[in-house]
Amino acid sequence: KKTIYRSVCLALVLLVAVTVFQRSLTPSPFLQEHTLPTLGLEKDSGQLVNSNNFWKNKKDVDTPTPTASLGPQAWDVTTTNCSANINVTHQPWFQGLEPQFRQFLLYRHCRYFPMLLNHPEKCRDDVYLLVVIKSVITQHDRREAIRQTWGREQESAGKGHGAVRTLFLLGTASKQEERTHYQQLLAYEDRLYSDILQWDFLDTFFNLTLKEIHFLKWLDIYCPNVPFVFKGDDDVFVNPTNLLEFLADRRPQEDLFVGDVLQHARPIRRKDNKYYIPTALYSKASYPPYAGGGGFLMAGGLARRLHHACDTVELYPIDDVFLGMCLEVLGVRPTAHEGFKTFGISRNRNSRMNKEPCFYRSMLVVHKLMPPELLAMWGLVHGNLTCSRKLQVL
Ligand SMILES: *[C@@H]1O[C@H](CO)[C@@H](O)[C@H](O)[C@H]1NC(C)=O
Ligand SMILES: *[C@@H]1O[C@H](CO)[C@@H](O)[C@H](O)[C@H]1NC(C)=O
Ligand SMILES: *[C@@H]1O[C@H](CO)[C@@H](O)[C@H](O)[C@H]1NC(C)=O
Ligand SMILES: *[C@@H]1O[C@H](CO)[C@@H](O)[C@H](O)[C@H]1NC(C)=O
C-alpha cells in the first residue's frame, strides 16, 4: 500500500514539476552567455537553446551497439600483486618530476585491484538508470545528503521503466590513520544502505582514473543490460526529474554521452594548479573533447564499449580527460548540453544566480554544493517555488 501511495505521489510531483517547468521555461540571455572558463580551457558552446525544452537534443545518432561479449561473471581480481615499475626511473626526466607524478608513473601499469565491498545484486531487478557517485571514505555527510535528495532510489523511473538505483564508488582511505578508523564505519554504513562499491586502492586525486576503469569493468560484469548511467561527483546538485525527462526520448542503443563538454582544452602547465600536467606526461597542445567529471550521462551499451576501449589507453592522472581519450578511441564525440553546469551556474562565484532555486529547477546538474546547501536547495526547489518570468531571466 505504501509503495502504491508513494508512486502515486511521485507521479503527481513529476507531472506538476514537468508542467511548471515547461511553462516557465523561456530562453534567457543568461543561457546563451559564454564566459571564459577559469581553467584556461575553451568550452564548447554546445547546442543553442531551443524554445521549449532546451535540454532535448535534436541531434540523434542511431548506431546500434553490438553487446555480445563474454567477460568474467564476477570480479576476477582477488590479489594485489603489483610492484613499482623501476624502468621508468631510468628516464632522464623522471627525477625532475614532482613526487605525486613519480608515484603515479611508478604504479601506472597496475590497473585492477580486488573489491572490498561489492553489490552484485544491484542490477538484478530491472534497472533503468544507474546513478554512480565518486566519493571518499571520510565524506559520509555528503553521501547522507545525497541519499536524502537526488540519490534517492526509485522503484520506477516512470512510464513502465525500471528502477533508479544508486551506488557510491570508493577506494581506501588515503591516510593511514583514517584507514583504521573509517573502514569499519564504512562497512557499517554499507550494511545500512547497501550502496557502496569499494576497491582496494588508495583514494587519491591521481587514482580517480582507477575509479573510472574499475567502475566500467564492474558495470560490464554486473549491470550488462542497464540502459543508462549517470556518473557524478558528491558535491553537485542533480535534478533527477529533469534527467529522466531528458532520457525519455532517448534510445539506449544510441552512443549517448552528454555533459559539460570541453573542446580543445589545453593541458595546464602552471605548477600551482590542481590540474597541472608536465610535458613529459602529455606533450600534445590540447586534449580530445571530454565531459567535466562533475556529472554526465551515458548509455549503458556505450559504457561497456568504453570499458574495452579504456583498456587500450595508458592511465592518465585526470579522470575526465582519460575518459575523453577512451571516447576518442571509439570515435564517439561527447555532446555538450546547457543543463550541465559543472563549473557552477555562473562562473562568477559570488553571482546571485548560484543561489537561485529557479535556475536549479531548470538544470540537470550544477556544481558545487556542500551538504547543508544541497539539503536547503533541494527543499526550495521541491517546495512552493513560484518562478516569475523576471526571475527566470534575472
Ligand atoms: C606476483 O607476481 C610475480 C611476477 O609477476 C609472481 O612471480 C608472483 O608469484 C606473484 N605473487 C602472487 C602472490 O600472486
Ligand atoms: C621493464 O622493462 C623490461 C625490459 O624491457 C620489461 O620486460 C618489463 O615488462 C618492463 N616493466 C614494466 C612494468 O613495464
Ligand atoms: C593508487 O593506488 C595504489 C594502490 O593503493 C597505490 O599504490 C598508488 O600509490 C596510488 N597512486 C597514487 C598516484 O596515489
Ligand atoms: C506552500 O504554500 C501553502 C499555501 O501558501 C502553505 O500553507 C504551505 O505551508 C507551503 N508549504 C511549504 C513547504 O512551504
Side-chain angles (χ1 to χ4, degrees):
K1 244 191 194 162
K2 215 174 140 197
T3 43
I4 294 176
Y5 174 70
R6 254 209 255 146
S7 36
V8 168
C9 277
L10 189 77
L12 256 167
V13 170
L14 228 117
L15 195 78
V16 171
V18 167
T19 318
V20 174
F21 179 40
Q22 289 190 333
R23 274 225 209 138
S24 59
L25 205 77
T26 44
S28 64
F30 145 73
L31 282 172
Q32 294 166 339
E33 151 196 313
H34 300 294
T35 33
L36 264 179
T38 43
L39 294 175
L41 307 165
E42 278 167 40
K43 193 172 153 294
D44 183 27
S45 55
Q47 259 62 37
L48 279 186
V49 181
N50 91 32
S51 57
N52 273 325
N53 3 34
F54 71 89
W55 72 91
K56 288 196 181 172
N57 231 314
K58 287 290 169 267
K59 204 185 103 234
D60 279 18
V61 200
D62 283 349
T63 32
T65 48
T67 44
S69 79
L70 284 174
Q73 300 299 296
W75 193 260
D76 56 353
V77 184
T78 51
T79 56
T80 306
N81 185 13
C82 190
S83 45
N85 171 15
I86 52 160
N87 297 358
V88 72
T89 61
H90 303 321
Q91 300 291 333
W93 40 261
F94 183 79
Q95 294 307 327
L97 291 178
E98 290 70 18
Q100 73 273 28
F101 287 103
R102 291 207 296 260
Q103 175 82 354
F104 171 77
L105 288 170
L106 283 172
Y107 293 96
R108 191 184 207 177
H109 58 292
C110 311
R111 293 185 79 103
Y112 292 109
F113 292 84
M115 285 199 88
L116 299 174
L117 296 170
N118 191 4
H119 287 283
E121 78 288 352
K122 205 64 183 187
C123 290
R124 221 161 263 167
D125 303 331
D126 177 21
V127 175
Y128 175 73
L129 174 66
L130 184 66
V131 174
V132 295
I133 302 142
K134 293 179 275 181
S135 183
V136 297
I137 199 162
T138 48
Q139 311 241 325
H140 164 261
D141 55 338
R142 295 190 186 183
R143 291 191 289 277
E144 202 54 50
I146 289 170
R147 288 184 187 110
Q148 287 171 32
T149 56
W150 57 268
R152 185 171 296 187
E153 298 198 327
Q154 302 174 35
E155 291 317 309
S156 166
K159 282 201 279 187
H161 289 314
V164 179
R165 293 278 176 257
T166 301
L167 283 168
F168 294 93
L169 312 177
L170 285 89
T172 58
S174 53
K175 300 195 188 83
Q176 178 61 44
E177 63 273 20
E178 286 172 357
R179 219 165 304 155
T180 41
H181 290 110
Y182 280 90
Q183 188 59 37
Q184 295 236 359
L185 280 174
L186 187 75
Y188 180 68
E189 186 185 331
D190 185 52
R191 274 221 303 283
L192 287 182
Y193 299 108
S194 303
D195 60 4
I196 289 168
L197 300 184
Q198 190 191 23
W199 289 275
D200 195 7
F201 59 79
L202 295 182
D203 225 329
T204 59
F205 181 60
F206 278 7
N207 267 348
L208 279 175
T209 305
L210 285 181
K211 205 171 271 187
E212 196 75 64
I213 60 171
H214 280 75
F215 167 66
L216 289 175
K217 181 181 164 84
W218 184 92
L219 188 80
D220 199 10
I221 296 172
Y222 296 106
C223 296
N225 300 317
V226 70
F228 299 108
V229 176
F230 172 83
K231 184 160 181 285
D233 283 339
D234 61 0
D235 56 356
V236 296
F237 178 96
V238 179
N239 195 325
T241 312
N242 293 356
L243 277 187
L244 294 175
E245 172 96 349
F246 173 80
L247 289 174
D249 43 22
R250 292 312 175 127
R251 300 189 312 118
Q253 294 87 347
E254 294 174 28
D255 278 340
L256 177 77
F257 194 102
V258 57
D260 199 349
V261 172
L262 295 126
Q263 305 273 5
H264 314 295
R266 291 184 298 272
I268 310 268
R269 307 298 189 188
R270 286 195 318 272
K271 292 198 176 185
D272 56 347
N273 193 294
K274 183 183 178 187
Y275 299 96
Y276 162 69
I277 292 293
T279 41
L281 211 62
Y282 191 86
S283 55
K284 289 189 211 163
S286 69
Y287 290 137
Y290 68 93
F296 58 84
L297 267 175
M298 60 181 162
L302 176 61
R304 302 186 71 197
R305 287 164 59 221
L306 269 177
H307 163 49
H308 299 289
C310 288
D311 272 351
T312 69
V313 180
E314 262 200 307
L315 295 186
Y316 194 72
I318 306 176
D319 62 336
D320 36 13
V321 173
F322 175 78
L323 210 54
M325 293 169 171
C326 303
L327 284 169
E328 195 178 39
V329 169
L330 289 178
V332 172
R333 289 186 74 81
T335 313
H337 194 289
E338 292 291 340
F340 292 78
K341 297 287 182 196
T342 57
F343 296 94
I345 288 185
S346 163
R347 279 159 195 267
N348 171 7
R349 272 176 196 223
N350 300 320
S351 166
R352 270 173 55 212
M353 286 193 282
N354 288 333
K355 300 250 186 293
E356 177 48 60
C358 287
F359 281 114
Y360 283 79
R361 198 171 61 179
S362 62
M363 293 294 160
L364 295 151
V365 180
V366 183
H367 185 83
K368 103 188 230 171
L369 291 181
M370 291 301 105
E373 300 169 315
L374 172 58
L375 291 168
M377 187 55 78
W378 185 265
L380 288 173
V381 170
H382 294 84
N384 292 342
L385 187 59
T386 333
C387 294
S388 71
R389 227 148 246 267
K390 192 157 159 271
L391 265 178
Q392 281 290 321
V393 296
L394 205 76

